């Protein structure tokens, strides 16, 4: 089996991102995080943790 090594420090070309590209990526990840939070919070029911009885 051939081992493939990836250079994960760069996405796309070797040049730096423009301010518009940085803002677009930031907005994308912010929206994605909000969508994940909303989907988890709407489907997950909150139950308080059960307290264990301590033996003293």
């Amino acid at each position: 089996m051939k081992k493939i090594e990836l250079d994960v420090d760069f996405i796309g070309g070797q040049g730096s991102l423009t301010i518009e590209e940085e803002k677009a990526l930031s907005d994308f990840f912010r929206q994605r995080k909000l969508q994940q939070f909303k989907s988890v919070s709407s489907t997950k029911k909150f139950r308080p943790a059960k307290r264990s009885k301590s033996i003293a």
Side-chain angles (χ1 to χ4, degrees), residues 22-41:
E22 287 180 14
K23 183 172 178 1
L25 284 172
S26 177
D27 291 342
F28 170 78
F29 288 119
R30 184 180 303 115
Q31 289 298 320
R32 187 169 144 190
K33 186 175 182 179
L34 285 172
Q35 287 174 351
Q36 288 177 345
F37 178 74
K38 286 180 183 179
S39 68
V40 168
S41 65

